[in-house]
Amino acid sequence: MRRVLVIVGLTALVVTAGILAGAGGGTSYRVRAIFDSAAFVVPGEDVKIAGVKVGQIDSLSVTPEKRAAVVLDISNPGYQDFRKDATCKIRPQSLIGEQYVECTPTQPRASTDTPAPKLGRIDNGPGKGQYLLPSDHTSTSVALDLIGDTARLPVRQRLTLIINELGTGLAGRGDDLNQVIRRSAPALQELDKVLNLLSSQNKTLEQLAKDSDTDLAPLAQQRKHVTGFITASQRTAAATAERRAALAASLQKLPRFLAELRPTMRRLGELAGQTTPVVSDLHASASDINELLKQMGPFSKAATPALVRLGAVGKNGIPALRAAIPITEDLNGFAQRLRPVGKTLAGVLSSFQRNNGIPSLMDYVFFQAMAVNGFDSVSHFLRAGLLVNTCSTYALQPQAECLAKFSNPPSTGASARSLSGLDSVLARTAAVLRGAHPEPAKATATPAAAPAAAPTASATATPQAAAAPAPAPA
């Protein structure tokens, strides 16, 4: 039983809190907008600001001045601050005749400008506690059915009568009729705003007219070119329209292309930054470059005959060059085959240069000359001399008086046996040294006359012994 009482008590507490919350959920903000006409406007329709619903129409009434008082209930707390420059306009919601109210709480201005004062509140009389928006800040759009009625009878005839009698009305009550027209046609109100704005900018418009005349004068002189440009633009537009599918595909690929182009443009920017000093120096040298180009003119004229003659020479030289192509190809092949030899020669010469070959060779020549030459009180003399005797000639048999031998001289019998087996090459060499011609000597030195046998050491050493005799006294 206690549990049931607790549940019932909690439920009652929640319901009471919800009722209190609903009763005090927010302060009411109502705007009493005065319209010249509020036809087809009913309570419950939307109130919008910048296309967002912020409330609804609460009620409608008629003022003593025979105007419509539309009470706007603004339920959104973020828009409960209408200023004296606020505006409201009745607009069609759909084609079936529904209406809604579009409002602007205040006009846009810079953040540094002073905001407009708040909308005045009604303290007494009808609409007490509401905020009054006068009729000069409200307007009503012309309904589509009214525009259509002007083309049908009898509205068309009545409109004709109104237009015909407009002059009489203007003559009688021009000021009142002007006010009626201003209030009855929102487009005229907007036109009046535009004209006021243009009148405030008349000096700017006057200067614009002067500048336009200055700009249009050359265009008038070149009107044929302008006409041609417009015609070409028309053709270009037609060709573009025919290829709109390809252009659409290209435009779809454009973002990806721009993304891939960004690194390249970044590098181009860095290149431009790096080339700025070069361009600056080039700009500073522009006058010198211009002077150089001016001076190049006479030089170019003077060089023209030489170039013409060079062309004539080229007519004869081209066949010669064509005929030299085979020789060039042969030289190319020879160079390819010569490359290993050249590489080896380059290595030899490089080594010769690294190891001071030329200075060493010159040192050798110098020291050799100093070694074999001397001088005394009389003159220079050669330290080495050639002695011509029996030991300086080429001998096939050992000579007892010659001292330089490779081995001991053999006995007479052994010497005869060794000479009997002389090689044909030794016999030929001996014949040539005696003055015989090489070819007849080759024919006479046959193996039969000189059987092949290894020469003795004494016989082969004899020339060396002859070439190195005992040193003579100085």
Side-chain angles (χ1 to χ4, degrees):
M1 185 67 181
R2 291 180 180 179
R3 183 177 297 177
V4 174
L5 292 176
V6 171
I7 294 174
V8 172
L10 292 175
T11 304
L13 182 62
V14 171
V15 171
T16 303
I19 294 173
L20 293 176
T27 58
S28 177
Y29 189 88
R30 290 181 170 85
V31 178
R32 187 179 183 86
I34 307 301
F35 289 89
D36 292 331
S37 175
F40 305 104
V41 176
V42 295
E45 295 293 346
D46 296 338
V47 177
K48 297 182 179 180
I49 296 177
V52 179
K53 181 180 178 181
V54 297
Q56 63 182 2
I57 298 175
D58 182 72
S59 61
L60 294 95
S61 60
V62 180
T63 65
E65 293 81 10
K66 305 302 180 182
R67 294 180 178 175
V70 181
V71 179
L72 309 177
D73 185 9
I74 309 300
S75 59
N76 194 326
Y79 298 94
Q80 294 179 353
D81 187 18
F82 276 58
R83 301 285 173 165
K84 285 190 176 182
D85 59 348
T87 58
C88 289
K89 185 174 184 178
I90 299 175
R91 294 182 178 275
Q93 179 80 9
S94 62
L95 296 177
I96 61 177
E98 294 180 335
Q99 307 284 335
Y100 76 97
V101 179
E102 177 76 23
C103 293
T104 302
T106 185
Q107 299 301 319
R109 56 175 51 86
S111 59
T112 57
D113 295 342
T114 303
K118 293 185 177 182
L119 201 62
R121 186 173 182 177
I122 302 175
D123 296 330
N124 297 310
K128 181 180 179 180
Q130 301 173 0
Y131 296 88
L132 179 62
L133 184 65
S135 60
D136 55 350
H137 288 265
T138 62
S139 60
T140 304
S141 61
V142 180
L144 296 177
D145 56 341
L146 297 179
I147 297 176
D149 289 342
T150 58
R152 297 194 300 267
L153 295 174
V155 177
R156 183 176 62 188
Q157 294 177 349
R158 294 172 182 175
L159 181 61
T160 303
L161 292 175
I162 291 174
I163 295 174
N164 292 333
E165 299 297 329
L166 186 60
T168 305
L170 288 174
R173 300 180 61 182
D175 295 337
D176 296 339
L177 185 60
N178 186 22
Q179 185 66 24
V180 170
I181 293 175
R182 289 177 181 273
R183 298 300 305 161
S184 61
L188 295 178
Q189 296 179 11
E190 300 297 330
L191 180 60
D192 185 63
K193 294 179 181 178
V194 172
L195 293 176
N196 290 333
L197 180 62
L198 292 177
S199 63
S200 63
Q201 301 291 334
N202 53 359
K203 293 184 178 180
T204 304
L205 294 174
E206 181 182 1
Q207 186 64 33
L208 177 62
K210 293 180 180 179
D211 296 340
S212 300
D213 184 62
T214 304
D215 296 336
L216 292 176
L219 294 178
Q221 296 176 0
Q222 302 292 333
R223 55 181 175 271
K224 292 183 179 180
H225 295 84
V226 176
T227 305
F229 171 74
I230 296 175
T231 304
S233 300
Q234 180 183 2
R235 295 175 182 174
T236 304
T240 305
E242 293 177 358
R243 298 180 177 272
R244 56 181 177 271
L247 290 175
S250 300
L251 292 176
Q252 291 178 357
K253 297 178 180 179
L254 183 60
R256 182 177 179 183
F257 169 74
L258 294 177
E260 295 177 355
L261 184 63
R262 188 175 293 110
T264 303
M265 297 304 296
R266 188 180 299 111
R267 290 194 292 270
L268 286 176
E270 295 175 357
L271 176 62
Q274 295 175 1
T275 54
T276 300
V278 179
V279 177
S280 300
D281 296 340
L282 185 62
H283 177 71
S285 303
S287 58
D288 298 335
I289 295 175
N290 292 334
E291 185 64 25
L292 175 62
L293 293 177
K294 290 180 181 178
Q295 294 178 2
M296 284 291 293
F299 172 77
S300 301
K301 292 181 180 179
T304 300
L307 294 176
V308 173
R309 293 190 180 92
L310 184 61
V313 173
K315 293 181 180 180
N316 299 326
I318 290 174
L321 293 177
R322 291 177 179 174
I325 291 176
I327 300 175
T328 306
E329 294 177 352
D330 295 340
L331 289 175
N332 186 20
F334 173 73
Q336 295 293 334
R337 291 190 295 270
L338 192 62
R339 182 177 297 176
V341 179
K343 185 176 181 180
T344 304
L345 183 59
V348 172
L349 295 178
S350 298
S351 176
F352 189 73
Q353 184 178 6
R354 287 195 305 269
N355 296 313
N356 298 324
I358 294 178
S360 300
L361 179 60
M362 299 305 294
D363 290 343
Y364 169 75
V365 173
F366 175 76
F367 291 131
Q368 185 66 26
M370 295 300 295
V372 300
N373 288 277
F375 66 93
D376 53 9
S377 60
V378 179
S379 65
H380 289 269
F381 62 90
L382 186 63
R383 295 183 185 275
L386 180 61
L387 299 179
V388 182
N389 52 22
T390 57
C391 294
S392 62
T393 59
Y394 189 87
L396 298 178
Q397 297 179 357
Q399 302 293 328
E401 62 273 14
C402 296
L403 300 178
K405 300 182 178 64
F406 288 108
S407 60
N408 294 326
S411 61
T412 306
S415 178
R417 287 193 300 271
S418 63
L419 292 174
S420 62
L422 287 176
D423 188 88
S424 60
V425 177
L426 293 177
R428 178 186 174 191
T429 302
V432 171
L433 291 175
R434 287 194 298 267
H437 194 272
E439 292 300 329
K442 180 178 180 181
T444 56
T446 59
T456 61
S458 60
T460 57
T462 303
Q464 297 182 9

